[in-house]
Amino acid sequence: MNIESRSPQLLASNITMTYGTQRVDLPAARPVLSGVNLRLVRGESLAIMGPSGSGKSTLLHILAGISAPTGGEMMWNGLKYAQMSDAQRTKLRRSEFGFVFQSGQLLAQLPALENVALPLMLAGVSVDQAKQQAQGLFASLGLQGLMDRRPGELSGGQAQRVAIARAMVINPSVIFADEPTGALDQHTGMEVMSLLSHVAQQNSTTLVVVTHDAHVASFCSRTVQMHDGILSDTSTGTSTATGGAQ
Ligand code: ADP
Ligand code: MG
């Protein structure tokens, strides 16, 4: 089936975001996102590129329901985020979304195995079963040797592999990765991206990667560009803003 004709899993419509004050005695803050439209279908991989400060992380947080936009609408499988309760959004994030950040997302006190088991425990799986499932994942990703290490005993690349395992352990529908290779050298970064895109493909997991690195973006099937809060689809060469150049 043509990708355009499939119903979107994630749909962002005319998203705007302005941080900060509503005070009338201060100048109005400039929007960080303006008129952003984005549709993602299940299993596709998307890179969001753009310079630092252009609004990429803000958009990722809105796509994942971590923060609410000041304008526009976000939908998950046809369901509006704004109409979900906080508890429903939290449940959506915990059961459907996996996250990989630049660094520092593993808990320093816990061995890698327990770090990976944690999202399952949060989802209500028993400790023993969570550890067993996590163990299976380490094996399938070829990371057995890292299970007992604490984050301080892992290299940057190893830590990111464990972070990928942690994101994947709940078998999410979508993985959101924010500069997942940003703290790594080029070679290690490509190895980590290779693992990330491989596991996403194997599991038909939708992948959204924020990056300013074109090599990282090349692992994704589609790339959009963010500039000063305006998203343009480089595959079509048009702005996604409502009413923008078509
Ligand atoms: P990127 O990820 O592309 O570097 P961000 O989305 O982090 O960009 O930030 C976009 C703009 O929004 C920046 O000017 C940043 O300073 C501002 N910003 C980000 N988060 C906040 C926040 N919580 N409060 C106020 N301003 C923010
Ligand atoms: Mg960012």
Side-chain angles (χ1 to χ4, degrees):
M1 206 193 308
N2 179 311
I3 216 165
E4 282 301 316
S5 64
R6 281 156 60 186
S7 60
Q9 185 181 50
L10 282 165
L11 185 64
S13 308
N14 199 21
I15 297 290
T16 59
M17 184 64 163
T18 308
Y19 286 112
T21 179
Q22 306 293 319
R23 280 170 52 179
V24 290
D25 54 332
L26 292 174
R30 254 179 82 230
V32 167
L33 298 176
S34 309
V36 170
N37 292 300
L38 193 59
R39 76 197 297 282
L40 276 145
V41 299
R42 177 161 185 258
E44 86 169 298
S45 57
L46 174 79
I48 302 173
M49 286 192 74
S52 180
S54 58
K56 305 182 298 296
S57 295
T58 299
L59 177 58
L60 200 76
H61 293 160
I62 291 170
L63 292 176
I66 294 169
S67 40
T70 42
E73 197 167 79
M74 235 351 277
M75 286 207 264
W76 164 255
N77 287 328
L79 214 62
K80 293 177 186 171
Y81 283 10
Q83 290 182 348
M84 296 180 197
S85 66
D86 286 349
Q88 283 173 317
R89 269 194 306 270
T90 302
K91 182 156 184 265
L92 173 69
R93 281 201 301 275
R94 285 192 180 157
S95 59
E96 302 283 0
F97 299 162
F99 296 91
V100 181
F101 300 109
Q102 181 167 329
S103 62
Q105 74 185 95
L106 302 175
L107 295 176
Q109 317 84 293
L110 298 182
L113 178 69
E114 288 177 35
N115 262 288
V116 171
L118 202 58
L120 288 171
M121 296 183 208
L122 286 173
V125 176
S126 73
V127 174
D128 281 352
Q129 209 196 325
K131 285 189 182 174
Q132 205 178 336
Q133 268 179 254
Q135 220 162 356
L137 187 56
F138 273 90
S140 71
L141 298 180
L143 303 175
Q144 297 94 320
L146 305 180
M147 278 193 304
D148 299 325
R149 298 211 208 156
R150 283 170 210 281
E153 300 162 340
L154 298 171
S155 70
Q158 288 169 337
Q160 287 308 78
R161 288 181 177 85
V162 172
I164 290 168
R166 180 167 146 151
M168 281 307 294
V169 77
I170 58 156
N171 195 20
S173 301
V174 185
I175 290 214
F176 294 100
D178 195 347
E179 308 273 8
T181 67
L184 306 175
D185 64 72
Q186 180 78 12
H187 178 73
T188 310
M190 292 308 106
E191 286 180 350
V192 164
M193 268 317 291
S194 165
L195 176 67
L196 182 57
S197 63
H198 178 74
V199 292
Q201 256 169 37
Q202 288 259 303
N203 296 280
S204 304
T205 311
T206 308
L207 180 60
V208 183
V209 182
V210 159
T211 182
H212 54 252
D213 183 336
H215 291 109
V216 170
S218 72
F219 283 85
C220 296
S221 53
R222 184 157 71 103
T223 298
V224 290
Q225 297 279 346
M226 182 72 90
H227 281 289
D228 289 337
I230 294 173
L231 198 70
S232 53
D233 193 332
T234 38
S235 60
T236 59
T238 56
S239 162
T240 76
T242 308
Q246 296 293 314

